Amino acid sequence: MSPATAASAMASGGPAPPPAAGTLLEPSRPSDARPLPAPAACGSFTYSSDILTEDDVYCSCLAKTLCHVPVPVTVGFYAPFGCRLHMMLDKITALMQQEAAQREAEELRRVRWQPRAVRGWGFPRLLWYLVFLQPVITEVHLRRKNVKFLFIRFSAWQYAGTDKLWAGLVTTLCEGIRHHYGALPFSVYSVLGNKPATTPGFCQREWHCRRRVCLALLALLAALGLGVGLLYLSVGARAPGHGAAGGSLLRVFGGAATTLSGSGLLMAVYSVGKHLFVSQRKKIERLVSREKFGSQLGFMCEVKKEVELLTDFLCFLEIYQRRRLRVVLEVTGLDTCYPERVVGVLNAINTLLSDSHAPFIFILVVDPSILAACLESAGSMKGTADNGYLFLNRTVTLPFSVPIMGRRTKLQFLHDAVQSRDDLLYREMTRRLRPGCRGGGGEVAQLLAVETQAGAQGAQSRIDAEAARRIQEALFCLHDERDCLYEYVPDNVVSMRRIVNTVPITVRLLQQQDGDFAGPTPRQAVAWVVLANQWPCRLSWALQCLEDRQQAGGAPEARARLWDVFCDNSRELHAMTKALQNVLDLDGDPELFERFLGADFPFTVAEAQSLLRCTVNLDHSIRRRMGLIRAVSALKPPSAPGSPAHAASHAANGAGHAPGALGSGQGAGHAPGHAGEAHRPRDRAHGGKPRPGTGLEWVPREPREATAPPAAQIGV
């Protein structure tokens, strides 16, 4: 695929929104197409960072998926510590905002309603709707495609010194929403708001009048007016010629009516003021600061009520603004905290996700190997999370493993590391001024920009249409009765969601990788996603062995089956069962794995290498752990030096016994064993190729029996 085609594939039809205040501008262009060729005078302003990088492709595919994924969802953003995580998060944020702006423009062209504002002149209108109208969830609202994202970043390192880290997560979420929409609207909704209602059938009206509130307010105002009037008449009754008894009676009734109505209004104002100055964050912090708060009956119920109130408020704003709202909470620094506090954060996430209608998207930025070890060592999780990977899979519904840094990304990082921050800011300024660097060529550059932008939008629409078709075809293979793929999908609902959520990213990455669609088919793509989800340990082992053989210079042919690679190295995996026990527990039925790779989906080495670059639901830390264990097991202690006479006699004995020992049935003796040891370095020098007549790859010497179990029974 040419750079121009790749750049047009990343264009989304509109300019990216400006970054938030205080955000550093990155030198890369994550969402824009490749810029136009500048005039001759501005040719010196061209930089290599304008080229599309591999990270941009991955971030674009994840951003598009998060715009369509059903909520609530927890994204496992898996990567080692310090692996360009924050830069990728910034790219994903910018791309999601750009996608939201594009969908907003499409929705405005489809319908005639404008989104209502919550600030400026729309603020009094919002308060009126909060008090006197009740929202109704209609079919029109459910069909809306425009969405607005609210990004909140939570750094667990800032709360690492507290005992209750999970409370910081909940309070950060509440404070972020309160700060974005204002304290007064949420305070009014907490006192007078009502939960959005649902109506059966097709209903066009999204708002119903709250008659009880209106009648109550009218009654209070009428009572207040009556009381003021009676008090005024009682003052007139004191004049000469009027009865004193009548004036006293009017004062009593007037004072009572004024007091009751005024107290009712003052109580409502007091409640709103109390929620205005005492936020949800202060409430939760006050509960946490109490002694023995964990043993208090209904404590978590109170926290759950606050979260439900926040969810209902967001649902109200969705109907009021005529758009869908999504709160994206980015959790970082969790793998630097103590194990007990990590468990508390995961429990808080599960609490927030317990509501099936919560509009939350959690992006859990962690190193899975560190997080799994924290869960296993936590004292409160004994018996519940003995295997940290399994517990993590129960929480994460969309895994995304950050890929290895590509060539263009690495070159860009190296180039930016050399440049100073002043130079990067200068590049951003000159990039904005590039079309008008010359007075005479500014109009020509603008016309050329309009034509190129129109062509890029047309190419992007065709690419998106083809991607949607391939995603639909891939998802259809999951529930096609005529296909055998559904037999390998587990019965677990969470695992089903993981597979369905991962398929669009994989298909889009394949589309970016193979522009002519000559690579793996959508059926192969979804089968590979199922393989990585169901047997991550066995697949990682086969890929690691394949990588080691390629590095040694003895890679198998491209047409060789991946199942044969696994069988050739199954004996070595069996020897590492104890070291990889936790990882092996992640795999499903071993007999189904044999049937999957051996018969139904016989992936070749070439197909595996092509699909590996598009695999995001396979934890790369498993392969790194296997590679380290395999490298350590290949080490041998140096042999003790012997005398020259002993070496000569040993060589003579070996030469005399080698021809006849192998054919005289002395396979159990020591001479064949020494002969095998003498040949092992030679096999390793030849790139790890199997010895003639054995069918097995060279493996390190082990104090185990020579026979190995069947490949499919490993880990059973």
Side-chain angles (χ1 to χ4, degrees):
M1 183 171 60
S2 63
T5 305
S8 62
M10 291 295 300
S12 59
T23 303
L24 294 178
L25 296 176
E26 299 296 340
S28 59
R29 296 170 61 92
S31 57
D32 298 341
R34 192 176 63 176
L36 299 173
C42 302
S44 60
F45 293 151
T46 303
Y47 291 91
S48 60
S49 63
D50 295 333
I51 302 176
L52 193 67
T53 63
E54 293 85 357
D55 283 355
D56 297 334
V57 177
Y58 279 91
C59 293
S60 174
C61 296
L62 178 60
K64 287 182 178 293
T65 303
L66 291 180
C67 292
H68 300 84
V69 70
V71 291
V73 62
T74 303
V75 181
F77 204 76
Y78 297 152
F81 180 75
C83 183
R84 68 195 188 279
L85 296 177
H86 291 283
M87 297 188 66
M88 294 189 70
L89 286 178
D90 293 338
K91 290 180 181 181
I92 293 172
T93 300
L95 289 171
M96 292 177 68
Q97 290 176 346
Q98 183 177 353
E99 181 71 16
Q102 180 182 359
R103 296 176 66 176
E104 186 77 34
E106 294 176 356
E107 187 71 12
L108 289 178
R109 289 193 296 265
R110 189 178 66 89
V111 298
R112 65 180 183 273
W113 297 299
Q114 292 283 342
R116 299 188 182 97
V118 295
R119 296 181 180 179
W121 293 105
F123 188 75
R125 187 179 184 181
L126 173 61
L127 296 180
W128 177 267
Y129 275 66
L130 283 170
V131 176
F132 297 105
L133 296 178
Q134 179 182 7
V136 179
I137 301 177
T138 61
E139 188 175 355
V140 177
H141 172 69
L142 297 176
R143 289 181 178 180
R144 289 193 175 107
K145 301 299 182 182
N146 54 333
V147 62
K148 180 181 179 180
F149 293 100
L150 175 60
F151 294 92
I152 301 173
R153 185 165 295 184
F154 172 74
S155 178
W157 176 252
Q158 298 178 359
Y159 297 86
T162 61
D163 294 334
K164 301 303 173 183
L165 180 62
W166 65 268
L169 174 66
V170 178
T171 55
T172 300
L173 176 64
C174 298
E175 196 68 18
I177 298 175
R178 178 187 175 95
H179 177 73
H180 183 78
Y181 290 104
L184 184 58
F186 184 71
S187 302
V188 173
Y189 183 82
S190 301
V191 178
L192 301 175
N194 201 358
K195 187 176 181 179
T198 57
T199 56
F202 185 80
C203 180
Q204 294 287 347
R205 295 183 56 188
E206 291 186 337
W207 299 95
H208 289 169
C209 180
R210 300 178 62 182
R211 297 173 181 172
R212 293 184 179 179
V213 176
C214 295
L215 293 176
L217 184 60
L218 289 176
L220 289 176
L221 292 177
L224 181 62
L226 179 61
V228 173
L230 291 177
L231 289 176
Y232 179 77
L233 293 177
S234 66
V235 174
R238 293 182 180 180
H242 294 79
S248 300
L249 187 61
L250 290 177
R251 281 197 304 270
V252 171
F253 282 103
T258 305
T259 303
L260 292 176
S261 59
S263 61
L265 294 175
L266 288 178
M267 284 297 297
V269 175
Y270 171 77
S271 300
V272 173
K274 181 180 178 181
H275 286 82
L276 184 63
F277 293 101
V278 182
S279 61
Q280 286 183 307
R281 179 174 185 172
K282 294 182 179 179
K283 290 181 182 179
I284 297 177
E285 289 178 351
R286 186 181 301 170
L287 290 174
V288 171
S289 61
R290 294 178 182 175
E291 296 180 358
K292 299 181 181 180
F293 74 96
S295 60
Q296 292 179 2
L297 184 62
F299 172 77
M300 291 305 298
C301 182
E302 293 295 329
V303 177
K304 189 68 173 67
K305 288 181 180 179
E306 297 294 334
V307 174
E308 290 178 352
L309 180 63
L310 194 67
T311 303
D312 295 339
F313 177 66
L314 292 175
C315 186
F316 176 91
L317 290 176
E318 278 188 343
I319 302 176
Y320 175 78
Q321 291 186 284
R322 295 170 178 164
R323 59 160 65 104
R324 311 306 294 269
L325 296 178
R326 297 292 181 265
V327 180
V328 183
L329 185 61
E330 302 170 352
V331 182
T332 61
L334 192 59
D335 43 11
T336 60
C337 301
Y338 294 111
E340 298 295 339
R341 298 169 186 176
V342 171
V343 173
V345 171
L346 294 181
N347 290 333
I349 292 177
N350 293 328
T351 302
L352 295 173
L353 296 179
S354 59
D355 188 0
S356 60
H357 302 288
F360 298 141
I361 299 177
F362 287 92
I363 300 181
L364 199 60
V365 184
V366 293
D367 186 346
S369 59
I370 298 178
L371 199 65
C374 290
L375 293 173
E376 293 170 2
S377 60
S380 60
M381 301 300 291
K382 293 299 182 182
T384 306
D386 294 337
N387 191 336
Y389 289 100
L390 290 177
F391 186 85
L392 193 60
N393 288 343
R394 299 192 196 110
T395 304
V396 175
T397 54
L398 176 55
F400 184 87
S401 297
V402 176
I404 301 175
M405 185 179 293
R407 181 181 61 87
R408 287 178 293 180
T409 305
K410 182 178 293 185
L411 290 176
Q412 176 188 332
F413 270 83
L414 290 174
H415 181 268
D416 295 340
V418 176
Q419 303 296 324
S420 63
R421 174 55 60 181
D422 296 336
D423 187 34
L424 295 180
L425 295 177
Y426 174 74
R427 286 167 51 184
E428 293 294 335
M429 295 172 60
T430 54
R431 183 177 296 161
R432 296 176 183 177
L433 299 176
R434 188 180 304 168
C437 60
R438 262 191 178 181
E443 297 180 0
V444 178
Q446 291 179 1
L447 292 176
L448 184 59
V450 172
E451 295 177 359
T452 308
Q453 185 178 6
Q457 290 180 358
Q460 177 66 27
S461 61
R462 291 191 297 269
I463 291 176
D464 289 341
E466 180 63 23
R469 186 193 65 81
R470 293 171 69 87
I471 292 173
Q472 184 178 5
E473 180 181 350
L475 293 177
F476 178 75
C477 296
L478 284 175
H479 57 85
D480 188 7
E481 296 182 357
R482 298 169 296 180
D483 201 332
C484 62
L485 183 60
Y486 73 94
E487 300 177 2
Y488 299 99
V489 178
D491 298 335
N492 191 294
V493 179
V494 177
S495 298
M496 293 181 183
R497 291 189 62 186
R498 287 166 60 92
I499 294 173
V500 172
N501 293 338
T502 311
V503 167
I505 305 180
T506 306
V507 174
R508 290 184 185 276
L509 288 174
L510 280 174
Q511 184 187 19
Q512 297 286 345
Q513 175 180 312
D514 304 317
D516 53 353
F517 305 104
T521 62
R523 182 175 182 268
Q524 290 177 322
V526 68
W528 184 265
V529 171
V530 174
L531 176 63
N533 185 82
Q534 288 300 102
W535 299 280
C537 179
R538 287 170 171 80
L539 178 59
S540 299
W541 175 255
L543 295 174
Q544 182 63 34
C545 294
L546 182 62
E547 179 183 349
D548 292 344
R549 293 180 64 176
Q550 288 177 346
Q551 294 175 353
E557 298 181 356
R559 294 177 296 178
R561 297 191 309 169
L562 189 63
W563 170 249
D564 296 334
V565 176
F566 178 81
C567 292
D568 293 343
N569 301 273
S570 60
R571 178 182 177 184
E572 187 178 356
L573 179 60
H574 176 69
M576 301 178 183
T577 302
K578 185 176 181 180
L580 299 174
Q581 187 62 45
N582 288 344
V583 184
L584 277 170
D585 290 342
L586 299 176
D587 288 358
D589 194 344
E591 285 78 11
L592 289 179
F593 175 74
E594 179 180 4
R595 195 180 78 180
F596 188 95
L597 275 184
D600 293 338
F601 299 94
F603 288 105
T604 62
V605 171
E607 293 172 347
Q609 292 174 346
S610 177
L611 287 166
L612 179 59
R613 292 190 292 269
C614 307
T615 306
V616 298
N617 64 326
L618 185 63
D619 188 1
H620 299 310
S621 64
I622 299 177
R623 291 179 54 200
R624 289 194 297 269
R625 182 178 178 184
M626 291 177 174
L628 291 175
I629 296 176
R630 199 179 190 208
V632 172
S633 63
L635 298 177
K636 291 183 179 180
S639 58
S643 62
H646 177 73
S649 62
H650 180 72
N653 293 333
H657 289 287
L662 294 177
S664 59
Q666 297 180 0
H670 295 283
H674 290 293
E677 293 178 3
H679 283 289
R680 282 174 185 170
R682 183 178 303 172
D683 297 335
R684 189 66 173 176
H686 285 284
K689 294 183 179 180
R691 291 176 292 179
T694 62
L696 294 174
E697 184 184 353
W698 173 81
V699 295
R701 185 179 181 184
E702 306 160 356
R704 294 178 179 269
E705 59 273 7
T707 59
Q713 299 292 335
I714 294 178
V716 180

